[in-house]
Amino acid sequence: MEGNLTPFVLLLALLTLQLCSADASPSRSNTQYIRTSCNVTNYPRLCYNSLSIYAGKIKTNRKALAHTALNMTIAATQETSVIMRRLLKIDGLKPIEAAAALDCMEEIGDAVDELQNSIDELSHVVRGSNFWLQMSDIQTWVSAALTDEDTCMDGFDEHNMSGRVENLVRRYIVNVVHLTCNALALINSYASTSTEALLP
Ligand SMILES: *[C@@H]1O[C@H](CO)[C@@H](O)[C@H](O)[C@H]1NC(C)=O
Ligand SMILES: *[C@@H]1O[C@H](CO)[C@@H](O)[C@H](O)[C@H]1NC(C)=O
Ligand SMILES: *[C@@H]1O[C@H](CO)[C@@H](O)[C@H](O)[C@H]1NC(C)=O
């Protein structure tokens, strides 16, 4: 029997080598790149699930990874803003709850603007002396967005808003906070490992 197993083992080894070698298939190595990069984020699974569909576009480019993460984050934030507006229209919201929801919507609106600023700046990041200044602006804007989203969340918690719609909105906001945390981690990672600042 042992004699018969050898070719089988060899075949398996060959197959493994083929499947696991980095350049066996470009898309496979690209999703692996995203998995590894997402490891620095607070929510690696969310990071991987939201970004892996863009693996072909991101390839192994850190800047594209950060840019895509910001794109995803702003889209989710805008969607949350729409849901918030819907929440404000429902009957039976106590005045204090309505006020909290209105505040929250403003915070979310500010977060969208700040995320947009960070995206605009990231598209203009150039090699050379301004690199660190630009990255620091981007980090500041994304952190400000995170703070606004967090303030919105706190308002919800303070007023014990826990109806069906409120819980739905809460889920949206939590998702936005997590996506923003992840985007910030990927931006920090791009900034800290980038060689662009060193190039002329
Ligand atoms: C992610 O990081 C952990 C520890 O920081 C490490 O054990 C694990 O192998 C890493 N996974 C990937 C896919 O890089
Ligand atoms: C981000 O979104 C903008 C506008 O929707 C798009 O033009 C751009 O290609 C996207 N960038 C990445 C890296 O996905
Ligand atoms: C929220 O609930 C907590 C305890 O469940 C209570 O102490 C607090 O007063 C409530 N706050 C509001 C604004 O109703």
Side-chain angles (χ1 to χ4, degrees):
M1 274 315 269
E2 264 173 41
N4 288 343
L5 267 178
T6 313
F8 179 64
V9 169
L10 270 176
L11 191 70
L12 252 184
L14 212 69
L15 211 67
T16 310
L17 195 70
Q18 203 176 22
L19 288 176
C20 302
S21 77
D23 55 4
S25 127
S27 75
R28 191 182 173 83
S29 68
N30 288 341
T31 53
Q32 188 51 47
Y33 171 75
I34 290 177
R35 195 182 295 284
T36 310
S37 306
C38 281
N39 211 14
V40 304
T41 67
N42 287 336
Y43 309 97
R45 195 184 299 167
L46 173 69
C47 175
Y48 180 77
N49 288 344
S50 59
L51 293 170
S52 57
I53 48 170
Y54 301 103
K57 208 176 157 196
I58 295 168
K59 298 197 169 67
T60 57
N61 184 320
R62 265 181 207 287
K63 185 179 174 184
L65 183 67
H67 196 151
T68 309
L70 281 175
N71 272 6
M72 304 287 308
T73 306
I74 199 168
T77 312
Q78 282 164 331
E79 199 182 346
T80 302
S81 177
V82 171
I83 299 282
M84 291 289 315
R85 203 163 298 143
R86 221 169 281 166
L87 166 68
L88 276 166
K89 285 195 188 127
I90 64 164
D91 293 331
L93 217 55
K94 291 182 215 143
I96 192 154
E97 289 177 340
L102 196 63
D103 280 350
C104 194
M105 213 176 89
E106 274 170 24
E107 308 278 2
I108 294 294
D110 290 347
V112 169
D113 292 344
E114 285 145 359
L115 289 169
Q116 189 58 59
N117 289 343
S118 72
I119 289 172
D120 292 346
E121 186 79 36
L122 188 63
S123 340
H124 293 121
V125 162
V126 288
R127 297 168 175 183
S129 58
N130 269 342
F131 180 82
W132 296 114
L133 199 61
Q134 289 177 306
M135 287 316 293
S136 134
D137 280 349
I138 293 165
Q139 286 160 331
T140 305
W141 273 314
V142 178
S143 305
L146 194 56
T147 306
D148 281 332
E149 295 157 4
D150 201 49
T151 308
C152 160
M153 198 67 237
D154 283 349
F156 258 63
D157 290 339
E158 268 168 30
H159 296 101
N160 295 339
M161 296 171 77
S162 58
R164 197 170 55 86
V165 185
E166 286 94 324
N167 284 337
L168 177 72
V169 173
R170 194 190 301 270
R171 275 213 303 280
Y172 270 85
I173 299 168
V174 167
N175 184 52
V176 162
V177 168
H178 290 182
L179 285 172
T180 310
C181 285
N182 281 354
L184 189 56
L186 295 175
I187 288 162
N188 292 343
S189 159
Y190 167 55
S192 66
T193 60
S194 183
T195 51
E196 294 194 37
L198 307 173
L199 297 170

